[in-house]
Amino acid sequence: ADLLFQTAKDAGLEYDCVCGVPYTALPLATIICSENQIPMLIRRKEAKDYGTKRLVEGTINPGETCLIFEDVVTSGSSVLETAEVLQKAGLKVTDAVVLLDREQGGKARLEECGIRLHSVCTLSSVLEILQQQGEVAVEMVEKVKKFIQGNVFEPVAQNGPAPVKRLCKELSFSARAELPGVHPIAARLFMLMEKKQTNLCLSADVTSSKELLQLAAILGPSICILKTHIDILNDFTQEVVKELRMLADRHEFLIFEDRKFADIGNTVKHQYEGGVFRIASWSDVVNAHVVPGSGVVKGLKEVGLPLQRGCLLVAEMSSQGSLATGDYTKAAVQMAEDNSDFVFGFISGSRVSNKLEFLHLTPGVQLQTGGDNLGQKYLSPEEVITRKGSDIIIVGRGILSASDRLQEAEKYRKAAWESYVSRLGVGA
């Protein structure tokens, strides 16, 4: 926090208030504001459906200048999202200060949008220091530089074509976050996966609220998504999901309620919005079968779209004898493309769409391949990510049955992430 404040001071920046990009930069901004008596604004990622329902909390004086603080900048998208919300509230945003600039085009992109980026340090300077101190080998430095060069965002002139990343053999998650038309939930997920270096989804199939919250608290830093079956909890209350939501925000993972909606539009609309569970009020992501036709997506979309939620379609299943194959899978892909403002990916055993805006999540993953006596087939993280082209592994029993769940989760996280890096063609 002191380094960020000093960088702003050294640059001679003039501003009336401060806003930290949610959520990692919020405590940094809080320290800066409390120690230097500067007014602070808090930007929410989504408006609550109660209280003030505002996206920006704090005293807003239209016309004043707000300085943005961030921890890491890759493409600049998080800073731009925050700036847009502040500007809509009537504030001016001319500068942003970041702890680490990864030098992947974020600075240039921000400048294209009228925002100057000031960094405490850059990735190249950090690498140089680590190399000089003998902490990082020359070969690794070159590999990192090569990776960055292959994943640099290239801004284009205003009023020109939609901005895209420079294509390489396989786009990184952060590059895919910048593709035209990518769903906001997908963009958020791509960026947090890159930031946390995890493409692990935990399938928290437990029946106790206490155990569910313990899993979220302990394994939260290791995962990008927590998948729930909320209807199997023996002691469900709204307080449980309220606390789960807080843990998700703290550890930066998405909540995915594995409801597998499969009814007519009007019915799923009520199932999603109301009932005992009120799923739409707390879950970032839900999923649906395509058996009922497009009505199931339209019904869910009526509820989820205004709340900035997202949906996955079940295109394939990992159980033996599954009927979700062939024409069924093709129909799921077509339905996703027709509803890409709400659907952002698939539950599948492999990559079923070549559109990189879509994410693929694969269940039935264990470090040891095989199956169980109920027809579940298990594949390894390497098989799923490297060979089948999926993006995220979904793991349940492989972690939950371990004596040390955190240690086991880290094994899966590392295996999946290394497979992803290998797919990019960059040394792990």
Side-chain angles (χ1 to χ4, degrees), residues 1-10 15 27-36 69 97 99 120:
D2 290 341
L3 290 171
L4 287 167
F5 180 69
Q6 189 61 47
T7 299
K9 189 175 180 180
D10 292 343
Y15 50 96
L28 297 172
T30 301
I31 293 170
I32 290 168
C33 291
S34 62
E35 289 186 348
N36 299 281
F69 284 110
V97 182
L99 185 61
V120 174

Side-chain angles (χ1 to χ4, degrees), residues 46 115-116 136 141 203 224 240 251 273 306 322:
E46 56 197 32
I115 300 173
R116 295 180 293 268
V136 176
V141 172
S203 183
C224 61
V240 173
H251 295 302
E273 184 176 34
S322 167

Side-chain angles (χ1 to χ4, degrees), residues 15-159:
Y15 50 96
D16 303 294
C17 54
V18 159
C19 182
V21 175
Y23 287 100
T24 309
L26 282 181
L28 297 172
T30 301
I31 293 170
I32 290 168
C33 291
S34 62
E35 289 186 348
N36 299 281
Q37 302 301 304
I38 302 170
M40 177 178 171
L41 300 177
I42 298 176
R43 177 213 152 198
R44 296 184 184 276
K45 285 193 174 179
E46 56 197 32
K48 302 295 183 184
D49 56 3
Y50 54 85
T52 64
K53 300 182 181 180
R54 292 167 59 181
L55 279 172
V56 181
E57 298 292 349
T59 302
I60 300 173
N61 298 312
E64 288 189 345
T65 299
C66 183
L67 176 63
I68 294 176
F69 284 110
E70 174 65 307
D71 60 336
V72 178
V73 163
T74 303
S75 65
S77 59
S78 295
V79 173
L80 285 175
E81 286 172 10
T82 299
E84 184 180 2
V85 172
L86 295 170
Q87 288 164 345
K88 284 182 179 178
L91 296 163
K92 297 177 183 176
V93 179
T94 57
D95 297 88
V97 182
V98 62
L99 185 61
L100 176 68
D101 178 6
R102 290 182 60 175
E103 302 173 294
Q104 288 181 253
K107 184 174 183 177
R109 185 185 180 197
L110 290 170
E111 287 179 355
E112 284 280 318
C113 298
I115 300 173
R116 295 180 293 268
L117 183 69
H118 312 268
S119 59
V120 174
C121 57
T122 61
L123 187 55
S124 59
S125 66
V126 171
L127 285 170
E128 184 179 338
I129 292 169
L130 290 173
Q131 183 182 332
Q132 289 173 353
Q133 296 296 320
E135 299 294 333
V136 176
V138 176
E139 293 79 10
M140 179 55 71
V141 172
E142 292 305 314
K143 284 181 180 178
V144 173
K145 287 181 178 178
K146 181 181 176 183
F147 171 77
I148 291 173
Q149 289 167 1
N151 291 274
V152 174
F153 178 88
E154 294 181 340
V156 295
Q158 291 183 355
N159 303 321

